[in-house]
Amino acid sequence: MSEPSGPLVGLRVVEFASIGPGPHCAMLLADQGADVVRIDRAGGNGWPNPIVDRGRTTVTLDIRSSEGRDTALSLCDAADVLIEGFRPGVMERLGLGPDTVCARNPRLVYGRMTGWGQDGPLAKVAGHDINYIALTGALAAIGEPGGRSIPPLNLVGDFGGGSMFLAFGIMAALWERERSGLGQVVDAAIVDGVSSLMTMFTGLRPSGRISLDRARNSLGGAAPYYRTYRCADGLEMAVGAIEPQFWAELLRVVGIETDNPAALQREDAWPNTIALLDTAFAESPRAEWIERFRGSDACAFPVLTAKEAECEDHLSARSVFVEVGGLRQPAPAPRFSRTPGAIQPARSGEAVGRWMDDLATPPRPV
């Protein structure tokens, strides 16, 4: 088996199997070289995913039994990081809460991933991504004016406000541990993360620089310079020509002649300008528009399907997608100049044995 690579080589992570943001966070750490042991239940979590689940050692345990709990505790004794995504109170009832685990291993960073957080009136209430982004104001801003809110997949809550903030919190806690020698609990709540993602809008809204009203939201599809347009073949182009020079270039390539491009960009002109661009884009198929915009600074690019993206020229040149084990999948991100990450091979059970052997040695630096 090849040696792991990446800036997190030597970091030991115990992941209690869950769905959504927890596994994604564990994948991010594994991609950068962390040694991740997943504690799963018999039959798995019901959402097997060969990409998100990559680079792990998986141990099947019944953590409700004394034997399974003791094994899990031993793994946590040898770990630097724990990731769990249960509702508040579940790990405590299992005898695996932070008071128990961190007393045994004071250097442990205990990462908790939930939707509502560890406290508050909704802490123990069921919910999913759509509910979390609804309550934080993000969902209301997404959709056509007068229509329903449109869920942006589960990208904004589970992953943008969830796993990415959990990963950031874990790394921040590890950095602090370098000074104190102590771990701590990371309470990563999706409602917290999404609210943080919304700071650009909450910060600019009072000044009037931006609106979250769908009919006036310049970044939500209401403005002619930041929306999608349907081509003659029914496929779409995405336009993001916000700055005046990019907007002028867009109009030039599309063939809309005007002595005053800025006038077409003003809010009172949006409906008329959108109609002009709708008509222009509908005259040619997407492939033709791709060629016409190639190399320009008009900020206009095709709306690709996930399958099409795997073969796109720029993404291919950067090897954004790689093939491992016959499966095309995203490469690790971000990239590092000296210690690049890599999609790690599935770990063998021998890794768990090494963890247990090291318990008798002094704590390891990260």
Side-chain angles (χ1 to χ4, degrees), residues 109 163-175 184 186 188:
V109 173
S163 58
M164 303 303 289
F165 277 84
L166 176 59
F168 172 70
I170 287 170
M171 301 315 297
L174 288 170
W175 171 251
Q184 58 186 300
V186 178

Side-chain angles (χ1 to χ4, degrees), residues 195-232:
S195 296
S196 180
L197 292 178
M198 291 288 287
T199 50
M200 172 179 167
F201 304 98
T202 54
L204 292 177
R205 189 185 64 226
S207 68
R209 292 290 302 275
I210 200 165
S211 171
L212 289 178
D213 182 334
R214 291 185 209 165
R216 300 184 59 241
N217 188 340
S218 59
L219 297 179
Y225 49 80
Y226 204 88
R227 62 183 285 124
T228 59
Y229 292 94
R230 197 175 299 277
C231 305

Side-chain angles (χ1 to χ4, degrees), residues 316-339:
S316 295
R318 281 184 58 80
S319 298
V320 172
F321 295 92
V322 295
E323 187 166 321
V324 177
L327 182 63
R328 194 85 170 150
Q329 53 192 292
R335 306 179 188 206
F336 294 83
S337 60
R338 289 190 302 102
T339 57

Side-chain angles (χ1 to χ4, degrees), residues 19-350:
I19 60 174
H24 183 248
C25 178
M27 183 203 79
L28 296 175
L29 302 181
D31 282 353
Q32 302 304 339
D35 190 358
V36 180
V37 172
R38 167 181 282 185
I39 296 177
D40 210 346
R41 61 187 179 185
N45 64 9
W47 289 82
N49 186 319
I51 296 178
V52 176
D53 297 343
R54 66 196 185 192
R56 317 280 217 286
T57 297
T58 298
V59 177
T60 301
L61 296 176
D62 180 2
I63 57 177
R64 295 168 298 181
S65 69
S66 297
E67 181 181 0
R69 181 176 60 255
D70 289 345
T71 301
L73 286 169
S74 294
L75 288 169
C76 294
D77 289 344
D80 298 293
V81 175
L82 180 153
I83 293 173
E84 64 95 358
F86 297 110
R87 289 197 211 183
V90 171
M91 289 291 276
E92 284 81 355
R93 289 197 298 274
L94 291 168
L96 295 167
D99 288 349
T100 300
V101 176
C102 296
R104 295 167 56 114
N105 180 2
R107 290 172 54 82
L108 184 71
V109 173
Y110 196 112
R112 315 197 79 170
M113 184 74 257
T114 61
W116 305 116
Q118 294 298 315
D119 54 23
L122 294 177
K124 296 185 179 181
V125 175
H128 282 295
D129 177 294
I130 190 171
N131 309 124
Y132 311 135
I133 68 173
L135 214 63
T136 51
L139 184 58
I142 303 171
E144 293 288 340
R148 297 181 183 178
S149 299
I150 299 175
L153 303 180
N154 62 328
L155 294 174
V156 173
D158 282 350
F159 304 114
S163 58
M164 303 303 289
F165 277 84
L166 176 59
F168 172 70
I170 287 170
M171 301 315 297
L174 288 170
W175 171 251
E176 193 279 336
R177 192 181 74 173
E178 290 296 292
R179 298 189 297 279
S180 68
L182 297 172
Q184 58 186 300
V185 176
V186 178
D187 176 3
I190 292 174
V191 291
D192 296 350
V194 174
S195 296
S196 180
L197 292 178
M198 291 288 287
T199 50
M200 172 179 167
F201 304 98
T202 54
L204 292 177
R205 189 185 64 226
S207 68
R209 292 290 302 275
I210 200 165
S211 171
L212 289 178
D213 182 334
R214 291 185 209 165
R216 300 184 59 241
N217 188 340
S218 59
L219 297 179
Y225 49 80
Y226 204 88
R227 62 183 285 124
T228 59
Y229 292 94
R230 197 175 299 277
C231 305
D233 52 6
L235 302 177
E236 293 176 287
M237 294 290 291
V239 167
I242 298 173
E243 292 79 5
Q245 68 273 27
F246 303 150
W247 174 246
E249 175 68 0
L250 176 81
L251 296 179
R252 184 193 68 77
V253 175
V254 170
I256 295 177
E257 297 183 3
T258 176
D259 294 330
N260 189 2
L264 295 179
Q265 207 172 14
R266 289 199 304 262
E267 187 174 338
D268 59 2
W270 285 2
N272 179 60
T273 306
I274 289 172
L276 289 173
L277 288 167
D278 274 337
T279 299
F281 275 101
E283 290 176 353
S284 303
R286 188 183 72 178
E288 184 174 323
W289 286 116
I290 291 173
E291 290 306 313
R292 290 173 66 175
F293 282 112
R294 191 179 300 278
S296 79
D297 274 345
C299 300
F301 292 88
V303 178
L304 301 181
T305 65
K307 188 66 177 177
E308 289 173 325
E310 293 179 5
C311 304
E312 196 277 331
D313 291 346
H314 178 77
L315 304 185
S316 295
R318 281 184 58 80
S319 298
V320 172
F321 295 92
V322 295
E323 187 166 321
V324 177
L327 182 63
R328 194 85 170 150
Q329 53 192 292
R335 306 179 188 206
F336 294 83
S337 60
R338 289 190 302 102
T339 57
I343 295 175
Q344 314 294 336
R347 312 286 189 178
S348 70
E350 295 174 1

